[in-house]
Amino acid sequence: MKVTGITLWSVDLTSHETYYMAEGKTCDTVKTHVLCLDTDSGLKGWGEVCPIPHYLPAFADGVPSAIAEMAPEILGIPPFGVDAPMRKLDGFLQGHLHAKSIVDLALWDLFGKATGQPLYALLGGRTRTDMPLYHSITCIAPDDMARIAREAYATGIRQFQVKLGADADWQADAERLTKVREAVGHGPLVYGDWNCGATKLQATRTGRAVAHLDVMLEQPCKTLEDCAAVRQATGLPMKIDEGAHDLGSLMQAHRLGVLDAVALKLSKFGGLSAMRRARDLTVHLGAEICAECTWGSDIVTAASLHFAASTPQGALLNTCDLSSYVSPHIAPDCPTRKDGRIAPPEGPGLGVTPDMDTLGNPILELA
């Protein structure tokens, strides 16, 4: 069995509400790409990638060009064992991890289908029935963020990511964290996320103002060194996101003492193959993992859920059902949240099937 065809679609995903982050970053309507790898056996493997503008060095409109560049190396690949062809692609095209992640997911989907196994079985084995979700709250007025938190709490959510920094006002950020904590009460996890958009001074002032609360901070500054300075000044635990993108950065974050938790994202690392290696190191270093992707719909959600379901006990902080934040649904059979938790899809491979009418006409077809 081998890959005989490559088809790529572009779909606009619209957030249910405009999503505000620090430094003017927003998610309203964002472009996702969906990839299908056809084989001579008739099996199809699906992948997806959806970079957020200005979030990481990943340009959505560059995905078709990268796929076309890699096509000669993709065509003919047998879908048994994904690490070897992905390492070959790393040598063929430097960087462009987000574009490689869509290929990696499709190959893993094929691997699962060819062996009749769900991906969580191939990624290490299922370690839990379902996983806790966090709910991400857009950075708006503190009272509105508290309302969103209460609404999510009523559905069973017990972990809350509070976006900060949209107005560069450290006092408003402190109020956001305070009011969300009050809204959900003691016990649930609450953490404030600047997405690299704060200075050391801004983040430190916010952190000290809420140091009496049970909260965690997420990636306040662009560098791991500045994040470490904020952690030392505030005494609050730290989750790293943008600053963790390969094994070296995980090691650096650990040395600096900021790796209490970390977001492992498919598009940031280059897919499940690299994420699996990062997970092993993260478990060894004793940090807890948020298993997710940057943005997207049902395919990246399904891949994240399989990864989360196979993460060792004690190492998973949470996961995210990205598809619940956007429309349309690319694969209507993707699982949805229930009582603040979610289970991986069943069936071989990813276990989800895209709706062809939703995908529309392809933008690239290669064979």
Side-chain angles (χ1 to χ4, degrees), residues 160-183:
F160 301 86
Q161 182 192 63
V162 181
K163 291 297 184 182
L164 304 174
D167 46 15
D169 183 342
W170 72 268
Q171 290 173 302
D173 286 338
E175 186 180 0
R176 291 178 172 109
L177 283 168
T178 300
K179 290 197 170 180
V180 169
R181 168 51 74 197
E182 291 173 349

Side-chain angles (χ1 to χ4, degrees), residues 328-344:
H329 278 292
I330 288 175
D333 55 353
C334 187
T336 57
R337 62 174 67 181
K338 181 180 180 182
D339 299 327
R341 302 181 70 86
I342 195 166

Side-chain angles (χ1 to χ4, degrees), residues 63-135:
V63 171
S65 297
I67 296 298
E69 181 73 14
M70 292 186 289
E73 302 298 313
I74 298 170
L75 293 169
I77 289 177
F80 296 98
V82 183
D83 289 83
M86 291 311 300
R87 290 182 187 277
K88 187 177 179 182
L89 285 179
D90 284 338
F92 179 77
L93 178 66
Q94 297 294 315
H96 302 279
L97 294 178
H98 66 296
K100 291 173 184 172
S101 71
I102 194 174
V103 178
D104 178 273
L105 296 193
L107 288 174
W108 275 101
D109 190 28
L110 277 175
F111 187 19
K113 289 173 178 174
T115 57
Q117 296 293 318
L119 282 195
Y120 60 70
L122 301 178
L123 294 171
R126 190 168 187 168
T127 60
R128 48 183 55 81
T129 301
D130 57 15
M131 296 81 65
L133 289 162
Y134 77 87
H135 189 80

Side-chain angles (χ1 to χ4, degrees), residues 58 60 65 71 80 130 141 152 165 188 200 212 231 236 259 263 269 278 300 311 314 348:
S65 297
F80 296 98
D130 57 15
K200 285 188 293 183
H212 62 291
R231 194 197 193 289
L236 293 172
L259 201 67
F269 279 81
V300 291
T311 294

